[in-house]
Amino acid sequence: MQRYFFKDNSCLDRLNNRIIINDKENFHHIKNVMRMKIGDKLIVCTNDMQEYLCEIDSITNNVFLNILEEHHNTNELKANITIAQGLVRREKKEEVLRRLVELGAYQYIPVEMERSIVHLNKYNENIDRINTIIKECSEQSERGILMKYLEAISFKDFIKLNDYDYKFVCYEESGRSNEHSLKSYLDKLKDKKILVLVGPEGGISNKELEILDNNGFIRIGLGKRILRTETAPLFIMSVLGYGVEFYED
Amino acid sequence: MQRYFFKDNSCLDRLNNRIIINDKENFHHIKNVMRMKIGDKLIVCTNDMQEYLCEIDSITNNVFLNILEEHHNTNELKANITIAQGLVRREKKEEVLRRLVELGAYQYIPVEMERSIVHLNKYNENIDRINTIIKECSEQSERGILMKYLEAISFKDFIKLNDYDYKFVCYEESGRSNEHSLKSYLDKLKDKKILVLVGPEGGISNKELEILDNNGFIRIGLGKRILRTETAPLFIMSVLGYGVEFYED
């Protein structure tokens, strides 16, 4: 069933047990793209992880929905995982975004790094396109909320991010030496805010690594093989997501 | 350093501590693509997981290499993981192959299934192209051996495959109900032969599921969100690979 995501729950009309859709984009999608009619059903997801099974009551300048059922979405990971990645080319980034939405990431942050092939001043972000990708994938994978996308930031600004329980940096050499740091955190992730940095194509420079070390980032290896920058986020998100979900009890 | 992969170690001339490259493809690559000269170094990987650091001694009709160092490749997972997948479109399959090579899979098998959009009789496999993809990714990720690619088979033939310690089938509903079966196997995978089946775009039919149940396949969930057929192999390979590598000791 078609899902519509909202950034808050201001669409909710509790008094009348209904939802009013008055934003252009969702209105257009319901009326003109899906060509829905009175009586058709859809799911409204608000960012507090509530899901409302609704039936269309009327379509005027707004869409009015009667709420049939209300559920709390339980598909979301019980941890808040942000993947940050050195700036990579658009196609690669979009591929990574698609997978990360499916795998349950909370947020994605592109970071300008020393060895990034693309740079901030030439980094054109088509936010509309990115939002569409995130919406479509969220719908398909039955997410409860939309993955957040932070516009690209500098490494200097990235380092200042501090509101996390764990900050990890994926480092090749830690993988080769088979340091087992990842394992020692896997059962401690539940309900935590986690930030993971993956380098760009060219990897992380020694200078950056030193700064990360000095700012509370923990080096973790991703195994003995060299993963490309577009594969590393999928590996780490899979393993962390597995950790959160399967160590729940 | 450039890596060249060989299916056996017949290129080895132990008596003279050298390697002779006389197959067309590798010869052409060394001489014409890389334009290597006498004294240039390269790595030869044989399928017994040995790696030979070599220096070019002479290039005639063959390339003669002096062996400088010999190592056992330790980058390979200490388990033999085969990912089988319902037939999917070429682009998707190639994307999956690239990632699986990096993540350390041993073998990939495309399987015709009920809900596959593509079918065996129309399934054109460009084996040369596939081999090139596998070689390139193996080189980049510093694999010790080439991932095997089995040409597409029918579900009937797939079911007959029996030479495995564990046979898993990824099943959506097991993920939703959060069955913890995956976790209970993760520390038992070392040195094992593992077969994992991922359904095609349309999923696995009930009939197929029943047959799989009756043929020793264990249902495993991949978490609560719905993963696309091109994401599921990456998730399961990441988690199994993690299990093998981080539960080593």
Side-chain angles (χ1 to χ4, degrees):
Chain A
M1 195 172 300
Q2 196 69 24
R3 283 171 175 252
Y4 292 90
F5 292 90
F6 292 84
K7 287 191 175 156
D8 52 36
N9 60 8
S10 63
C11 57
L12 210 60
D13 174 9
R14 276 277 179 220
L15 202 63
N16 299 301
N17 195 37
R18 64 178 188 173
I19 282 171
I20 305 166
I21 295 181
N22 56 16
D23 69 292
K24 249 190 204 169
E25 197 183 348
N26 286 316
F27 179 82
H28 171 72
H29 196 271
I30 290 172
K31 192 180 173 198
N32 304 320
V33 180
M34 298 301 291
R35 294 176 189 224
M36 286 190 182
K37 308 263 174 258
I38 289 165
D40 284 352
K41 285 175 184 152
L42 55 85
I43 294 170
V44 166
C45 302
T46 51
N47 229 31
D48 49 1
M49 305 244 294
Q50 289 301 103
E51 287 185 5
Y52 302 87
L53 174 65
C54 301
E55 190 178 62
I56 297 180
D57 182 53
S58 65
I59 303 179
T60 56
N61 288 335
N62 302 324
V63 181
F64 293 90
L65 306 164
N66 291 323
I67 298 173
L68 306 176
E69 291 173 24
E70 178 176 351
H71 301 284
H72 190 70
N73 179 295
T74 55
N75 292 350
E76 289 297 316
L77 282 179
K78 289 194 178 60
N80 176 315
I81 304 177
T82 293
I83 303 284
Q85 182 172 33
L87 297 190
V88 292
R89 287 201 195 83
R90 187 177 61 78
E91 320 81 65
K92 283 193 184 174
K93 187 181 65 179
E94 291 181 359
E95 187 61 27
V96 169
L97 287 176
R98 283 193 188 90
R99 304 285 162 259
L100 287 181
V101 169
E102 290 177 69
L103 295 168
Y106 175 76
Q107 185 174 237
Y108 179 87
I109 309 176
V111 184
E112 186 184 40
M113 295 179 70
E114 215 177 300
R115 296 187 188 154
S116 293
I117 294 170
V118 270
H119 290 282
L120 261 192
N121 53 0
K122 288 184 184 169
Y123 197 64
N124 290 320
E125 302 210 81
N126 185 337
I127 296 291
D128 284 345
R129 187 182 155 87
I130 288 168
N131 284 336
T132 305
I133 289 172
I134 292 176
K135 268 196 183 180
E136 283 173 2
C137 294
S138 300
E139 186 163 301
Q140 197 164 18
S141 54
E142 304 190 358
R143 291 284 301 259
I145 56 171
L146 292 175
M147 183 175 84
K148 292 190 184 191
Y149 179 87
L150 211 67
E151 288 188 49
I153 59 176
S154 67
F155 186 69
K156 212 173 147 186
D157 286 337
F158 173 72
I159 283 300
K160 292 180 196 156
L161 298 176
N162 242 326
D163 185 22
Y164 291 93
D165 298 304
Y166 294 115
K167 298 193 288 183
F168 296 118
V169 50
C170 301
Y171 185 56
E172 204 169 86
E173 293 303 325
S174 303
R176 285 186 210 257
S177 65
N178 207 17
E179 288 175 21
H180 285 202
S181 48
L182 190 51
K183 188 178 161 194
S184 57
Y185 289 100
L186 219 61
D187 58 350
K188 300 183 182 72
L189 303 177
K190 205 189 157 192
D191 298 326
K192 293 288 190 289
K193 279 190 80 175
I194 302 147
L195 176 62
V196 186
L197 175 66
V198 173
E201 278 99 341
I204 298 171
S205 76
N206 288 337
K207 197 178 136 198
E208 286 169 335
L209 205 61
E210 200 187 314
I211 297 171
L212 291 161
D213 283 344
N214 293 337
N215 280 273
F217 279 79
I218 302 158
R219 298 185 189 189
I220 49 171
L222 305 183
K224 293 184 180 175
R225 289 151 306 287
I226 309 301
L227 301 183
R228 293 190 217 200
T229 182
E230 63 266 42
T231 309
L234 317 182
F235 176 85
I236 191 70
M237 190 62 218
S238 297
V239 174
L240 293 181
Y242 162 81
V244 174
E245 216 144 63
F246 288 83
Y247 283 93
E248 261 182 22
D249 47 358
Chain B
M1 197 171 299
Q2 195 69 26
R3 285 171 173 252
Y4 292 90
F5 292 90
F6 291 85
K7 286 189 176 156
D8 52 35
N9 59 9
S10 65
C11 58
L12 211 60
D13 174 9
R14 277 278 180 219
L15 203 63
N16 300 301
N17 195 37
R18 63 180 188 172
I19 282 171
I20 305 165
I21 295 180
N22 56 17
D23 69 292
K24 249 191 206 171
E25 196 184 347
N26 285 317
F27 179 81
H28 171 71
H29 196 272
I30 291 171
K31 192 180 173 199
N32 304 320
V33 180
M34 298 301 292
R35 296 179 187 220
M36 287 190 182
K37 308 263 173 257
I38 290 166
D40 284 351
K41 285 175 184 154
L42 55 86
I43 294 171
V44 166
C45 301
T46 52
N47 230 32
D48 48 2
M49 306 241 296
Q50 289 301 103
E51 287 184 5
Y52 303 88
L53 173 66
C54 302
E55 188 178 63
I56 296 180
D57 182 53
S58 65
I59 304 178
T60 58
N61 289 335
N62 302 325
V63 181
F64 293 90
L65 306 165
N66 291 324
I67 298 173
L68 305 178
E69 292 173 24
E70 179 175 351
H71 301 283
H72 190 70
N73 179 297
T74 54
N75 291 351
E76 290 297 316
L77 282 179
K78 291 197 176 57
N80 176 316
I81 303 176
T82 293
I83 303 286
Q85 181 172 32
L87 298 190
V88 292
R89 289 203 195 83
R90 187 178 61 78
E91 318 82 66
K92 284 192 185 175
K93 187 180 68 181
E94 291 181 357
E95 187 58 28
V96 169
L97 288 175
R98 283 192 188 91
R99 303 287 164 257
L100 288 181
V101 168
E102 289 177 68
L103 294 168
Y106 176 75
Q107 187 174 236
Y108 179 87
I109 310 176
V111 184
E112 186 185 41
M113 296 180 69
E114 217 177 298
R115 297 188 187 154
S116 293
I117 293 170
V118 271
H119 290 283
L120 261 192
N121 53 2
K122 286 183 185 169
Y123 198 66
N124 292 319
E125 303 211 80
N126 185 338
I127 296 292
D128 285 344
R129 186 180 156 87
I130 288 168
N131 284 335
T132 304
I133 289 172
I134 293 176
K135 267 196 184 181
E136 283 174 1
C137 294
S138 301
E139 185 163 301
Q140 197 162 19
S141 55
E142 305 191 358
R143 292 282 303 256
I145 55 171
L146 291 174
M147 183 176 82
K148 291 190 185 193
Y149 179 86
L150 212 66
E151 287 189 49
I153 59 176
S154 68
F155 186 70
K156 215 175 146 182
D157 286 337
F158 173 73
I159 283 299
K160 292 179 193 155
L161 298 176
N162 243 326
D163 185 23
Y164 291 92
D165 298 302
Y166 294 116
K167 297 194 288 186
F168 296 119
V169 50
C170 301
Y171 184 56
E172 205 169 87
E173 294 303 325
S174 304
R176 285 188 209 256
S177 64
N178 206 14
E179 287 176 22
H180 287 199
S181 48
L182 190 51
K183 187 179 160 191
S184 57
Y185 290 100
L186 219 58
D187 57 349
K188 299 183 182 71
L189 302 176
K190 205 189 156 189
D191 298 327
K192 294 288 189 290
K193 278 190 80 175
I194 302 147
L195 176 63
V196 185
L197 175 64
V198 173
E201 277 99 340
I204 298 171
S205 75
N206 288 337
K207 199 178 138 198
E208 286 169 337
L209 205 60
E210 200 186 314
I211 297 170
L212 291 162
D213 282 344
N214 294 335
N215 280 274
F217 279 79
I218 303 158
R219 297 184 191 190
I220 49 170
L222 305 184
K224 293 184 179 176
R225 290 151 307 284
I226 310 299
L227 300 182
R228 295 189 215 200
T229 182
E230 62 265 41
T231 309
L234 316 183
F235 176 87
I236 192 69
M237 191 60 219
S238 297
V239 174
L240 294 180
Y242 163 81
V244 173
E245 215 144 64
F246 288 83
Y247 284 91
E248 261 184 22
D249 44 3

